[in-house]
Amino acid sequence: MTPKLSLSHFLKLFLILLFFIDTAHADYMEVTLLGTGTPKPSIDRFGPSTLIEANGRYFIFDSGRGLSIRLQQAGVALSKVENIFLTHLHSDHISGLSDLWLTSWIWQRQHPLRLTGPVGTLALSQHLELAHQADLLYRTKNTNLNSDFFPILAKEIVSEGIIYQHDGIKITAFLVNHYPVEPAYGYRIDSGEQSIVISGDTTFSKNLIKYAKGADLLIHEVAAANSELLAGNSRLQKVISYHTTPEQAAQIFSATEPKAAVFNHVLLFGINERAVLDATRESFNGDVRMGYDLMKIGVGDELIFY
Ligand SMILES: [Zn+2]
Ligand SMILES: [Zn+2]
């Protein structure tokens, strides 16, 4: 005899199902590498910028060249972006900021744009607003754009620690080593059981290892040069010295043991990507991949690359 399912049983089952769907959704994050490049103008690798979608919110880490175009390509309305976090104030990490800020305003952003970053972020936002005063006047005079949403709400990080905690999403800023650029931060993003770490620009950093331990996904910068180019080129040697070589990256990944490591901010001189991955894999056996613009990674119980 088939047991009959009463309406109340059915409702209970439905609610249990909803609970599991909701719980799974709360932890899940989706990463889109918007730009994986450097100051070098490149059609393949736009300036550094990473989008993380969590719990219906859109968080952007660094705002490099072409950010707005990549967002559009990723199918994300610019007006949805509420929060941008800067790792440091090198121009390649902020050159796409004005575009996103103003273009999202033109496209009816209905909330202020929040900008969080190291000391200097406040001055940056004030000076950008001054630089674009004429545009504010033109557009508010002739259109119905809301001038309340023009100012950037800037906040400076004064020490490492939690800088955002809302709706189950926690963002922690930690210091990295991009000397002489001080301070420079990396970010750890936690949602339930899942976690993502973004290195920002840094050379080997013990502090990054401390904060990245146990993260599901580690998005890390990399730099490498052909040894012949490097020899006798003190300028290039200096540039490489405040970034992370593949050999250093292998040490970092071995110490932090992420489910997967993905390279971004790919800064290469006379050396190809294959050689960078090979050099990393010489002393790291885990999952390491070369990131590319518009690469998507689902971060749930498993990592899904697509
Ligand atoms: Zn950079
Ligand atoms: Zn930098």
Side-chain angles (χ1 to χ4, degrees):
M1 200 175 131
T2 322
K4 282 197 174 167
L5 202 61
S6 70
L7 188 62
S8 67
H9 275 118
F10 181 79
L11 273 174
K12 267 185 202 164
L13 277 172
F14 183 66
L15 286 173
I16 289 168
L17 192 66
L18 264 188
F19 170 79
F20 279 114
I21 289 170
D22 196 48
T23 314
H25 182 73
D27 290 6
Y28 181 80
M29 292 186 274
E30 188 170 84
V31 179
T32 307
L33 303 183
L34 296 170
T36 56
T38 64
K40 183 183 170 189
S42 160
I43 192 67
D44 298 317
R45 294 191 183 277
F46 280 14
S49 187
T50 303
L51 167 71
I52 295 183
E53 193 184 339
N55 223 351
R57 291 178 185 269
Y58 296 83
F59 302 91
I60 301 236
F61 296 86
D62 281 329
S63 49
R65 180 191 301 119
L67 156 63
S68 300
I69 294 171
R70 291 293 193 229
L71 270 177
Q72 186 80 8
Q73 285 180 293
V76 176
L78 305 192
S79 57
K80 283 187 177 175
V81 176
E82 282 178 75
N83 284 283
I84 298 180
F85 300 88
L86 300 176
T87 57
H88 63 300
L89 300 180
H90 260 152
S91 62
D92 53 316
H93 296 251
I94 53 181
S95 58
L97 178 59
S98 295
D99 187 15
L100 177 63
W101 160 52
L102 293 165
T103 310
S104 64
W105 179 58
I106 295 168
W107 289 100
Q108 305 289 338
R109 174 166 41 77
Q110 294 301 310
H111 49 79
L113 186 67
R114 296 175 189 277
L115 180 69
T116 305
V119 170
T121 299
L122 207 54
L124 170 73
S125 67
Q126 287 165 347
H127 293 140
L128 280 180
E129 285 173 13
L130 269 177
H132 291 279
Q133 278 302 305
D135 193 45
L136 169 66
L137 295 177
Y138 300 145
R139 294 192 193 276
T140 49
K141 210 171 177 181
N142 294 319
T143 68
N144 59 355
L145 283 182
N146 190 334
S147 59
D148 289 348
F149 303 136
F150 178 82
I152 300 170
L153 293 188
K155 195 171 93 182
E156 292 184 342
I157 302 168
V158 286
S159 61
E160 55 181 14
I162 298 168
I163 48 157
Y164 179 96
Q165 198 158 20
H166 200 64
D167 283 352
I169 299 154
K170 185 173 79 176
I171 300 176
T172 307
F174 58 88
L175 288 164
V176 291
N177 182 5
H178 193 37
Y179 184 82
V181 179
E182 290 182 318
Y185 291 100
Y187 291 104
R188 178 179 173 120
I189 303 95
D190 289 279
S191 172
E193 296 291 307
Q194 323 305 338
S195 51
I196 300 164
V197 168
I198 297 172
S199 71
D201 285 11
T202 182
T203 184
F204 181 90
S205 159
K206 278 188 179 167
N207 201 41
L208 178 138
I209 292 173
K210 183 179 134 191
Y211 279 89
K213 236 172 205 155
D216 293 286
L217 176 67
L218 175 54
I219 300 168
H220 205 289
E221 70 121 276
V222 69
N226 171 309
S227 52
E228 280 161 31
L229 278 180
L230 203 56
N233 187 337
S234 61
R235 183 163 178 260
L236 188 54
Q237 287 166 12
K238 269 187 191 158
V239 169
I240 297 290
S241 76
Y242 70 0
H243 290 289
T244 303
T245 63
E247 294 75 17
Q248 289 172 323
Q251 282 182 50
I252 295 161
F253 302 159
S254 299
T256 50
E257 296 186 313
K259 281 183 188 159
V262 174
F263 283 130
N264 75 344
H265 202 282
V266 183
L267 185 60
L268 307 182
F269 301 90
I271 191 167
N272 65 34
E273 294 175 5
R274 187 77 253 163
V276 168
L277 284 173
D278 287 347
T280 311
R281 286 172 180 150
E282 262 183 36
S283 45
F284 175 64
N285 295 324
D287 187 349
V288 54
R289 303 174 190 225
M290 188 58 69
Y292 55 86
D293 286 21
L294 295 174
M295 180 188 223
K296 276 182 183 279
I297 309 150
V299 182
D301 291 336
E302 303 289 329
L303 297 187
I304 306 163
F305 287 81
Y306 55 102

